[in-house]
Amino acid sequence: MASQQTIDETKAIWRNADAVCFDVDSTVCKEEGLDELAKFCGKGEEVANWTKKAMGGSITFRVALTERLNLFRPSQLQIMKFKELHPLSLTPGIKELVKILTSKQKDVYLVSGGFRALIEPVASELGLPVENVHCNKLLFNSEGNYIGFDENQPTSASGGKTCVVAQLIEKNRYKSLVMIGDGMTDFEACPPAAAFIGFGGNIIREKVKQSASWFVTDMKELINELQDMNHSI
């Protein structure tokens, strides 16, 4: 597990990684996309209350996702207006970090329990192809009304990020993939990821902070480690 590594071991894996998977909500972006969309649709408090309830129990991720979405059932038109009026904000430094990673020929992915409709614009802003986005997909009828989400996506179920990471490693034969995120679902993706880096720049989750061998609160910490030429491989 990631927690069994020393900070120096994790940093070494980070410097030599051939692929990096980023969580999106509260990591790549400052906000939680679904919560912000719910607020925009006038159901922010109800969804937040349900989220708190779900956090304390033994409810699966898929059930929690279903119940939260059923509270406000976002239409295609609402989502379009939300993206136009309240685009998600990138975390400071992430754009520079992704640029450095890609310049070093490291593959970068966004792996999220959030939704493609909200995340694809983020990938575009970061210069990442849509095929490097692994997340959930909302479903609509011919009138554009919400009818559910695609349950065939691995990220729609508990353990989804772990599944995606395993698939990426197998498909591309990565020797050293790193997972970065603010939540325990990100931490749990290591293994199969070679290392996990906890991120607390937007929100600090104590369990993640305690579990991660390397916990950062600024993307510059990750950038600096890549740019430090004094390190040897």
Side-chain angles (χ1 to χ4, degrees):
M1 290 292 289
S3 59
Q4 294 176 328
Q5 292 169 355
T6 66
I7 187 169
D8 288 337
E9 286 170 339
T10 302
K11 286 182 176 182
I13 294 168
W14 166 242
R15 291 192 299 273
N16 299 295
D18 48 10
V20 181
C21 291
F22 287 96
D23 172 47
V24 176
D25 295 322
S26 297
T27 299
V28 166
C29 293
K30 293 180 183 178
E31 316 93 339
E32 293 282 327
L34 190 61
D35 289 352
E36 293 302 310
L37 178 60
K39 276 187 215 171
F40 181 75
C41 295
K43 294 288 185 179
E45 193 176 336
E46 291 94 324
V47 169
N49 287 340
W50 213 99
T51 302
K52 284 176 194 168
K53 184 175 77 169
M55 290 284 197
S58 56
I59 300 165
T60 66
F61 180 78
R62 182 167 289 170
V63 169
L65 200 57
T66 301
E67 293 299 329
R68 291 166 77 201
L69 282 163
N70 282 341
L71 283 170
F72 67 107
R73 306 182 69 83
S75 68
Q76 282 182 314
L77 182 61
Q78 284 175 314
I79 292 169
M80 187 177 71
K81 286 183 177 177
F82 170 72
K83 289 194 289 185
E84 183 185 329
L85 298 170
H86 298 281
L88 297 177
S89 311
L90 290 180
T91 296
I94 185 62
K95 211 166 183 177
E96 183 186 354
L97 176 56
V98 170
K99 192 173 179 181
I100 291 168
L101 289 168
T102 52
S103 74
K104 291 177 179 288
Q105 281 74 55
K106 299 174 191 287
D107 292 339
V108 178
Y109 299 91
L110 302 182
V111 182
S112 172
F115 290 92
R116 188 165 288 277
L118 303 180
I119 294 172
E120 279 193 358
V122 173
S124 177
E125 205 173 338
L126 293 173
L128 298 174
V130 292
E131 55 266 28
N132 285 27
V133 175
H134 295 268
C135 61
N136 291 314
K137 183 181 177 184
L138 293 167
L139 301 176
F140 305 93
N141 63 17
S142 56
E143 285 81 42
N145 296 317
Y146 171 79
I147 56 170
F149 57 88
D150 184 358
E151 294 191 0
N152 292 318
Q153 299 300 319
T155 48
S156 72
S158 299
K161 291 179 183 179
T162 304
C163 181
V164 169
V165 167
Q167 288 173 353
L168 288 172
I169 291 169
E170 184 179 0
K171 180 183 176 183
N172 300 289
R173 301 192 180 280
Y174 293 128
K175 293 178 181 174
S176 189
L177 181 150
V178 174
M179 182 77 210
I180 300 175
D182 66 287
M184 286 305 292
T185 56
D186 306 305
F187 170 75
E188 288 160 5
C190 177
F196 166 73
I197 300 170
F199 183 73
N202 296 306
I203 185 167
I204 293 177
R205 304 187 197 279
E206 283 303 322
K207 196 172 179 185
V208 175
K209 187 177 180 181
Q210 302 290 330
S211 301
S213 55
W214 188 21
F215 186 82
V216 303
T217 55
D218 194 316
M219 293 294 176
K220 286 179 184 174
E221 295 175 68
L222 299 170
I223 292 169
N224 291 342
E225 197 63 35
L226 291 174
Q227 293 179 332
D228 188 346
M229 301 307 291
N230 295 323
H231 286 297
S232 59
I233 294 175

